[in-house]
Amino acid sequence: MSPLDRPPHEATLAQVRASAPGASAWVAANAGSGKTSVLTRRVARLLLDGCRPEKILCLTYTRAAAAEMQARLFKLLGEWSLQTDDRLATTLRDLGLPGEPDRQALRRARKLFAEALETPGGLKIQTIHAFCASLLRRFPLESGAPPGFSELDDAARARMLDEIRDRLAAQAEAAPGAPFDAAAARLSEQGLESLTAAILGARDLFPEDPEPLLRAAFDLSPAAEYHSALARELSMTDPDDFARLVEAMCASGPSDSRFGEALRPACEALTTGDLAAAARAMEAAGLRQDGGPRSLRSLPTKAVKAAHPWAEELVELIVSQAAELRALRLAHAGFDKAMDLHRYARAVLDLYAREKAREGVIDFDDLIRAAGALLTTSETAAWALWKLDGGLDHILIDEAQDTSPAQWALVRAIAEEFLAGQGAQDRPRTVFAVGDEKQSIYSFQGAAPREFGRMRAHFREFLAAAAEAGEGTALQESSLDWSFRSAPSLLALVDAAFADAAEALTADAETPSHIAFHEQAPGRVDLWPLLETPERAEPPAWHLPVDTLPAQAPVLRLADAVAAHVQEQIDTAPIPDRE
């Protein structure tokens, strides 16, 4: 029987023979290829082979995914408990059980549902954050987590951040020049809210003393100040030479005159000692609008060169100096903005840390950081890993493309600890990951799709070395190319669109390839023209919020067009039933 002759879950299973319980496996899947189904059946197979439920750790990314996987597993095991002998034997053979299932295997399969229900604490199908929370509660002293802590969910964190911004604003009113003022001067209220949330997601980027690092980043000497740097840069400029050049250029043709008039404000500012104005005027005269140096092919003209031989060298000096002044201005402006950002970030993070400590809560990022430190850098890391080593035999990772580097470090520490001693164990120990880099959607929470391929390469090398030493087996890798959701025409479009951009999709830069399970399913691709912003758009009514988009905004027009098209399709072309 070919995969196309089977139901979707069985066709998927036929492609994942690398998921044999005794071997670690890495599965790269396509959209709609049944990743959760594969992982669910992997757990069922481990249970069928005698693994105790509490020895299996299954990590996924969201609570909804964890709940769905647990529901699928209980449904699957429940069906086994009620199936006839013949039907159950067929199911177990399709699951990869070697040989013909005997009565003992059938009895074992029927008892799994009750065993799973009766497992103390339930099956360990958790989000990675829930696992980290349980880890910190298991090692409270070693991890340094607050005693009896609770997790700070997204809604509670948003409220806490609102209160922190209000407190920082109040401090700024009482003491002008506070970090809040610099941030608020550059951003709207909505922008400030987004910035504050982004700071929490990148807290490692904001050290206590950022100035030395930022000065090095902008190539500024210690304690360098913009006005004094301008004075040094302009000290080589003679105002009298400027004045002579301005008069010579303005007395010539149109192109020379334009340069002379643009340079005149710089000459006047140098005379009065207004260095900032002089620098701005020199940039305007010596640079193009895009910031590049002005062309000197016809500047100054032959007439000016003949009458004033010194003018050519002075014009070249001014154009070169304008580029230096621009680089100096941008470096100092960037440094000032970065310092303002860091001051605001430190104010937010310090208040945030104090509020969390006062309320005895930690957020999701804290869970990952503290658990990672416990297992990798703490003085008791080896002991904590040894304790965990005795409690786990199998780690399964669902939606692995959304696992962040910090989360991978945690998984890697646990997995390497128990895989390193496979030869001394009397039972198989495995890591099983399934994911699709093309489906990663949690970059705002630190997800790094390329880590999926990088960690696959790491475990491939790690397990290959162990296999050569006679401990365990090499990593088994599979690719699920079948898609059970989309029509062939849609999949063909996706493959064609990314055929020349594979390096942007996967760590291995492999060209995507999809196989439609429903190969006769109808499909149509419509390419709509891009909607441009109108030159003149009616502003929103005065009583609407200030950030309300105008009715002619492209995003609103596109949303309306999509909604109207979907409604038309529902009304005129009902979706056919598909077996």
Side-chain angles (χ1 to χ4, degrees), residues 308-489:
H308 309 284
W310 48 267
E312 182 177 10
E313 183 178 352
L314 186 55
V315 170
E316 291 178 358
L317 174 63
I318 290 171
V319 171
S320 173
Q321 196 171 28
E324 293 291 335
L325 290 169
R326 180 177 185 272
L328 185 66
R329 175 178 58 81
L330 293 178
H332 278 274
F335 172 76
D336 290 341
K337 289 181 180 179
M339 282 299 296
D340 288 341
L341 170 62
H342 277 70
R343 291 189 187 102
Y344 176 70
R346 286 312 322 169
V348 169
L349 293 173
D350 291 345
L351 265 179
Y352 184 58
R354 287 199 292 270
E355 285 300 301
K356 287 189 298 179
R358 184 178 65 83
E359 296 186 14
V361 297
I362 59 178
D363 64 16
F364 291 156
D365 289 336
D366 292 331
L367 291 172
I368 301 297
R369 290 155 59 92
L374 170 67
L375 299 182
T376 58
T377 61
S378 71
E379 295 180 354
T380 57
W383 182 78
L385 285 169
W386 177 77
K387 292 287 287 183
L388 282 177
D389 182 30
L392 292 176
D393 285 342
H394 303 280
I395 299 177
L396 298 93
I397 309 159
D398 187 26
E399 302 294 353
Q401 75 277 354
D402 284 320
T403 305
S404 70
Q407 294 165 357
W408 273 121
L410 184 71
V411 172
R412 174 177 170 174
I414 301 171
E416 288 185 352
E417 176 66 18
F418 72 62
L419 289 176
Q422 289 185 92
Q425 302 292 330
D426 58 356
R427 59 189 186 277
R429 317 186 83 181
T430 65
V431 175
F432 184 93
V434 58
D436 178 8
E437 293 152 305
K438 303 186 296 300
Q439 292 188 70
S440 181
I441 59 173
Y442 287 100
S443 60
F444 63 95
Q445 291 185 0
R450 289 182 179 273
E451 286 294 298
F452 179 74
R454 194 178 72 83
M455 293 305 298
R456 173 174 54 193
H458 168 76
F459 278 107
R460 180 191 302 138
E461 296 174 2
F462 180 86
L463 291 169
E468 289 181 3
E471 297 183 350
T473 60
L475 183 69
Q476 299 190 28
E477 304 176 46
S478 293
S479 176
L480 301 185
D481 297 326
W482 297 94
S483 175
F484 304 109
R485 297 175 184 167
S486 297
S489 56

Side-chain angles (χ1 to χ4, degrees), residues 138-154:
R138 183 176 177 182
F139 303 99
L141 298 178
E142 297 82 355
S143 67
F149 72 86
S150 60
E151 291 93 333
L152 186 67
D153 61 26
D154 290 338

Side-chain angles (χ1 to χ4, degrees), residues 19 34 59 109 132 252 264 274 279 330 405 430 433 435 495 526 540:
S19 64
L59 300 175
C132 289
S252 184
R264 189 184 297 278
D274 189 347
L330 293 178
T430 65
D495 290 349
D526 293 338

Side-chain angles (χ1 to χ4, degrees), residues 172-238:
E173 290 182 0
F180 180 86
D181 285 338
R186 291 190 172 95
L187 297 169
S188 65
E189 182 177 354
Q190 186 177 10
L192 197 61
E193 181 180 345
S194 299
L195 173 64
T196 306
I199 286 171
L200 292 189
R203 63 192 76 180
D204 291 336
L205 299 180
F206 302 104
E208 294 288 346
D209 183 17
E211 185 168 345
L213 295 174
L214 292 179
R215 286 195 178 277
F218 288 99
D219 196 21
L220 298 176
S221 59
E225 189 265 331
Y226 182 52
H227 190 272
S228 60
L230 273 184
R232 288 194 301 272
E233 185 66 33
L234 294 174
S235 63
M236 65 183 71
T237 303
D238 188 339

Side-chain angles (χ1 to χ4, degrees), residues 41 57-58 67 185 235 259 297 317 356 452 470:
R41 289 172 175 269
L57 172 63
C58 188
S235 63
F259 182 79
R297 284 183 300 178
L317 174 63
K356 287 189 298 179
F452 179 74

Side-chain angles (χ1 to χ4, degrees), residues 160-172 180 189:
M160 185 178 289
L161 290 182
D162 287 341
E163 295 173 0
I164 287 173
R165 286 196 304 275
D166 291 344
R167 288 176 60 181
L168 291 176
Q171 292 174 8
F180 180 86
E189 182 177 354

